């Protein structure tokens, strides 16, 4: 009995959201609970642990929610089922898995309605309102949250009323309804203070601070921002500490104190990364990239722009695609089972009709009419299910198209690290020649300041000639840097589908260097020998340079990845003493070769013009096993570890080459490594 009283007291403290102080104590208490103690006490403890951890450690939250759900299911305890499922829906929402989040909400509605759990229905509506906010269904979200607020007030459910007001304030912020947001935030703060909710105070303060900020009441805003951070630190609420520093960064940005804005925004970003708040990290990366761009610190701006891109093109995109695919398959299976049952039912009815025809003609007519009605109903049901399946298939295709576009743009991330290195070389030349030219000009001025008889005109002419040569070199390297930037912009630009006369040798050389420097920027220990064997007689051919560039970048990057993986494995073998003597001579090497394919014509074997151009990209890595050669061009097939590849790169490359009327083949490279061969037809632009 004493333990139960202690647990109830803990739940009252938990309602104040003092997560970091309560969760360790509650965990220790749970570990001491034995089976003879009431199972409902265990379930409530587990559910509250799942609630506490959903803002701090989503993996731990899922573990405790699953335990609470399984025990509730075992003893048929609806309240425990609803509590654990609401926590699970929140976790799915934090990880942007909206398919599973909505599915979980449907299960909550079913259980809560069946067992008349009003608080469960309100909790489900609050989650639905928040999901609709995330999906920008603002009208529907406002309707659901307003209804949840009224129902919570009717049953005096303070915690649900608190959440409904909290998310209505967020909704008004997203809609740009500044006055409504301020009013809702102030009401929320009054409610929290009235209830003396220590844990809810930092969140309410942050909403008021944000409302004052968007209404440009800056003095009030900074006052509440500081109060937010101090209150959140007192109860160790990391998410609200992060929001407080983000708001402080926005405040300093508004008052044109950019350095202070960067300091507090980076504090918020570091908290988001440490606690896996990836959605917030993406937004903060965007803000930091803009701040550093304003500071003309393009290196840091590029770093945070890449981070923003990484969060957007997260592996979760593929997981969502697979979830949608699974959902479609499940629906198809349901349609199949329903059709099978209806067909079996119709067959059974037909037997009864046949027996009835032998005995009662009038009964046979009645049964036949009934059967026709059922068949019409079945046809109508099949039509609706077919339309639903087609709709889901269209949604699946749309998601796949988005993934393909993301893969096309992902190659830009492979280039950006190498761009800085490529541009730095010509810029160094420009800077050095400029400094030398300034010194030479000073020498000319010194010479001319002398008396006419003491001046050395021959020296003056020599210096002026050197200055002219330096200016020529400055111009040359400036154009070189301009061409590098132009090439990057050409690559990042969405393809217009317009073909241009393209120098394949130059294109191969450019992407070989950029791929190499990009990998070197990521891993300073990476090293490989690059070989080029370009046919000097190749004519320009008519291709889409951005698309062929993506193909080359993908194949060359894969080649570098293969030789680097083999080198790493050999290093591990050397350290463990398992390497052979021949392994010590291994040198990673990637080769790019171009040549024109010439076809002999006529009985005399005289040569014709070039029919096609062949590009070979070979490496001396571990090679591709014969068992998977037929699969590597399939979409979503990859041999890389999870998170390092989507499996779309080679599939896209194959499609691009085919669209140009060419072929993409793969083979072993003399029993060592692999070789990819691109054959493109010789098509020249006509003037």
């Amino acid at each position: 009995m004493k333990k139960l009283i202690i647990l109830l007291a803990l739940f009252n403290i938990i309602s104040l959201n003092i997560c970091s102080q309560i969760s360790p104590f509650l965990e220790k208490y749970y570990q001491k609970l034995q089976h003879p103690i009431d199972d409902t006490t265990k379930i409530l403890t587990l559910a509250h642990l799942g609630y506490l951890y959903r803002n701090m450690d989503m993996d731990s939250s899922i573990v405790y929610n699953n335990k609470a759900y399984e025990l509730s299911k075992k003893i048929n305890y609806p309240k425990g089922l609803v509590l654990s499922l609401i926590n699970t829906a929140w976790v799915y929402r934090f990880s942007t898995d909206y398919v599973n989040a909505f599915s979980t909400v449907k299960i909550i509605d079913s259980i809560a309605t069946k067992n008349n759990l009003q608080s469960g229905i309100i909790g489900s509506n609050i989650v639905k309102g928040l999901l609709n906010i995330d999906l920008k269904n603002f009208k529907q979200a406002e309707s659901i949250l307003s209804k949840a607020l009224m129902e919570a007030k009717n049953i005096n459910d303070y915690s649900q009323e608190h959440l409904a007001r909290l998310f209505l304030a967020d909704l008004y912020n997203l809609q740009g309804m500044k006055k409504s947001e301020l009013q809702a935030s102030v009401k929320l703060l009054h409610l929290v203070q009235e209830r003396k909710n220590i844990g809810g105070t930092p969140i309410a303060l942050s909403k008021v601070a944000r409302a004052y900020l968007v209404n440009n009441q800056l003095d009030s805003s900074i006052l509440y921002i500081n109060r937010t951070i101090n209150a959140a630190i007192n109860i160790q609420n990391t998410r609200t500490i992060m929001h407080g520093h983000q708001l402080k960064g926005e405040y300093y940005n508004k008052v044109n104190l950019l350095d202070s804005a960067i300091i507090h925004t980076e504090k918020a970003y570091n908290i988001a990364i440490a606690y896996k708040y990836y959605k917030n990290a993406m937004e903060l990366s965007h803000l930091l990239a803009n701040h550093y761009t304003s500071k003309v610190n393009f290196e840091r701006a590029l770093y945070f722009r890449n981070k923003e891109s990484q969060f957007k093109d997260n592996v979760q995109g593929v997981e969502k695609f697979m979830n949608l695919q699974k959902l479609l398959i499940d629906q198809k299976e349901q349609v199949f089972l329903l059709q099978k049952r209806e067909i079996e039912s119709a067959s059974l009815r037909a037997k009864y009709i046949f027996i009835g025809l032998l005995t009662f003609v009038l009964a046979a007519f009645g049964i036949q009419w009934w059967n026709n009605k059922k068949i019409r109903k079945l046809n109508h049901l099949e039509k609706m299910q077919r339309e639903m399946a087609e709709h889901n298939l269209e949604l699946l295709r749309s998601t796949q198209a988005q993934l393909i576009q993301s893969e096309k743009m992902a190659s830009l991330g492979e280039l950006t690290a190498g761009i800085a290195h490529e541009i730095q070389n010509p810029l160094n030349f420009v800077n050095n020649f400029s400094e030398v030219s300034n010194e030479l000009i000073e020498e000319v001025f010194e010479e001319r300041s002398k008396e006419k008889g003491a001046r050395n005109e021959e020296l003056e002419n020599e210096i002026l000639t050197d200055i002219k040569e330096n200016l020529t070199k400055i111009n040359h390297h400036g154009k070189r840097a301009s061409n590098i930037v132009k090439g990057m912009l050409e690559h990042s630009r969405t393809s217009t589908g317009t073909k241009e006369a393209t120098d394949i040798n130059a294109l191969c050389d450019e992407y070989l260097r950029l791929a190499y420097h990009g990998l070197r920027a990521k891993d300073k220990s990476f090293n490989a020998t690059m070989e080029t064997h370009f046919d000097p007689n190749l004519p320009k051919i008519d291709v889409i340079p951005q698309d062929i560039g993506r193909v080359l970048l993908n194949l060359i990057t894969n080649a570098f990845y293969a030789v680097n993986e083999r080198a790493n494995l050999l290093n591990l073998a050397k350290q463990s003493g398992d390497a052979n003597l021949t392994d010590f001579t291994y040198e990673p090497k990637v080769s790019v070769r171009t040549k024109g394919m010439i076809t002999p014509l006529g009985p005399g074997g005289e040569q014709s013009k070039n029919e096609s151009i062949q590009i070979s990209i070979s490496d001396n890595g571990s090679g591709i096993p014969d068992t998977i050669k037929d699969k590597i061009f399939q979409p979503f097939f990859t041999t890389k570890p999870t998170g390092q590849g989507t499996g779309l790169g080679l599939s896209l490359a194959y499609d691009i080459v085919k669209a140009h009327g060419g072929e993409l083949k793969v083979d072993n490279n003399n029993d060592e490594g692999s070789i990819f061969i691109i054959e493109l037809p010789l098509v020249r632009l006509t003037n």
Side-chain angles (χ1 to χ4, degrees), residues 419-630:
I419 293 300
H421 183 276
E422 284 293 300
I423 292 179
Q424 190 60 47
N425 287 333
L427 288 181
N428 285 340
F429 280 113
V430 169
N431 291 335
N432 291 338
F433 284 125
S434 297
E435 291 175 3
V436 172
S437 296
N438 281 330
E439 292 174 0
L440 291 174
I441 289 172
E442 289 295 329
E443 290 183 20
V444 171
F445 284 144
E446 288 178 7
E447 192 65 28
R448 287 191 172 180
S449 64
K450 297 178 182 178
E451 295 181 0
K452 189 170 183 181
R455 285 174 55 184
N456 188 341
E457 294 184 1
E458 182 179 350
L459 176 61
E460 289 179 11
N461 292 332
E462 183 180 342
I463 293 173
L464 290 173
T465 302
D466 290 341
I467 293 173
K468 183 178 180 181
E469 290 177 357
N470 288 349
L471 291 175
T472 302
K473 292 174 182 177
I474 289 171
N475 181 262
H476 168 74
H477 290 290
K479 288 181 178 179
R480 180 183 166 196
S482 176
N483 289 335
I484 292 171
V485 174
K486 180 181 178 183
M488 181 186 71
L489 295 176
E490 286 291 330
H491 178 81
S492 64
R493 186 177 63 190
T494 301
S495 175
T496 60
T498 303
K499 293 185 176 181
E500 302 174 9
T502 303
D503 185 341
I504 292 297
N505 288 341
L507 198 67
C508 290
D509 184 61
E510 175 188 356
Y511 282 97
L512 176 63
R513 288 185 292 101
L514 289 177
Y516 178 76
H517 289 306
L519 290 172
R520 283 279 296 169
K522 292 183 191 175
D523 182 4
K524 297 298 183 183
S525 64
F526 169 75
N527 206 350
T529 301
M530 297 183 292
E531 289 186 356
T532 56
H533 304 279
F534 295 149
D535 186 343
N537 298 319
L538 283 186
K540 291 185 178 181
I541 63 170
D542 187 8
V543 295
I544 303 172
Q546 298 96 327
D547 288 353
I548 297 300
R550 290 188 181 108
V551 173
L552 293 171
L553 181 64
N554 183 275
L555 297 180
I556 294 170
T557 302
N558 285 349
F560 280 131
Y561 178 85
V563 298
N564 193 39
E565 284 294 296
R566 181 177 177 185
N568 290 337
L569 290 174
L570 289 177
N571 286 334
L572 291 175
K574 292 174 185 177
Q575 293 172 8
S576 62
D578 295 335
N580 298 320
L581 289 175
T582 55
D583 293 338
F584 286 87
T585 62
Y586 174 71
E587 293 183 2
K589 182 171 67 177
V590 173
S591 301
V592 181
R593 182 185 301 272
T594 63
K595 66 177 180 178
M597 305 296 290
I598 301 175
T599 305
L601 292 178
E606 63 271 20
Q607 291 183 340
S608 74
K609 60 182 180 180
N610 290 334
E611 295 293 337
S612 63
I613 286 178
Q614 187 182 88
I615 307 169
S616 303
I617 299 168
S618 60
D619 63 75
N620 62 345
S622 300
I624 300 173
D626 293 335
T627 54
I628 65 171
K629 277 186 182 178
D630 295 335

Side-chain angles (χ1 to χ4, degrees), residues 2 4-5 28 37 82 126 167 186 204 215 323 325 388 399 415 434 444 459 463 513 553 597 630 678 683:
K2 289 182 179 179
L4 183 58
I5 293 171
K28 290 180 181 178
I37 294 177
V82 168
I126 288 174
F167 298 129
V186 171
N215 281 278
N323 286 334
Q325 191 177 48
M388 183 181 297
T399 304
L415 292 178
S434 297
V444 171
L459 176 61
I463 293 173
R513 288 185 292 101
L553 181 64
M597 305 296 290
D630 295 335
I678 306 168
V683 181

Side-chain angles (χ1 to χ4, degrees), residues 166 230 251 255 287 384 566:
L166 178 68
N230 292 333
Y251 164 81
V255 297
L287 291 173
M384 291 180 62
R566 181 177 177 185

Side-chain angles (χ1 to χ4, degrees), residues 64 200 217 244 253 257 297 369 408 474 504 555:
Y64 287 117
Q217 298 182 32
N253 188 44
L257 295 175
N297 188 343
W369 174 83
K408 286 182 178 179
I474 289 171
I504 292 297
L555 297 180

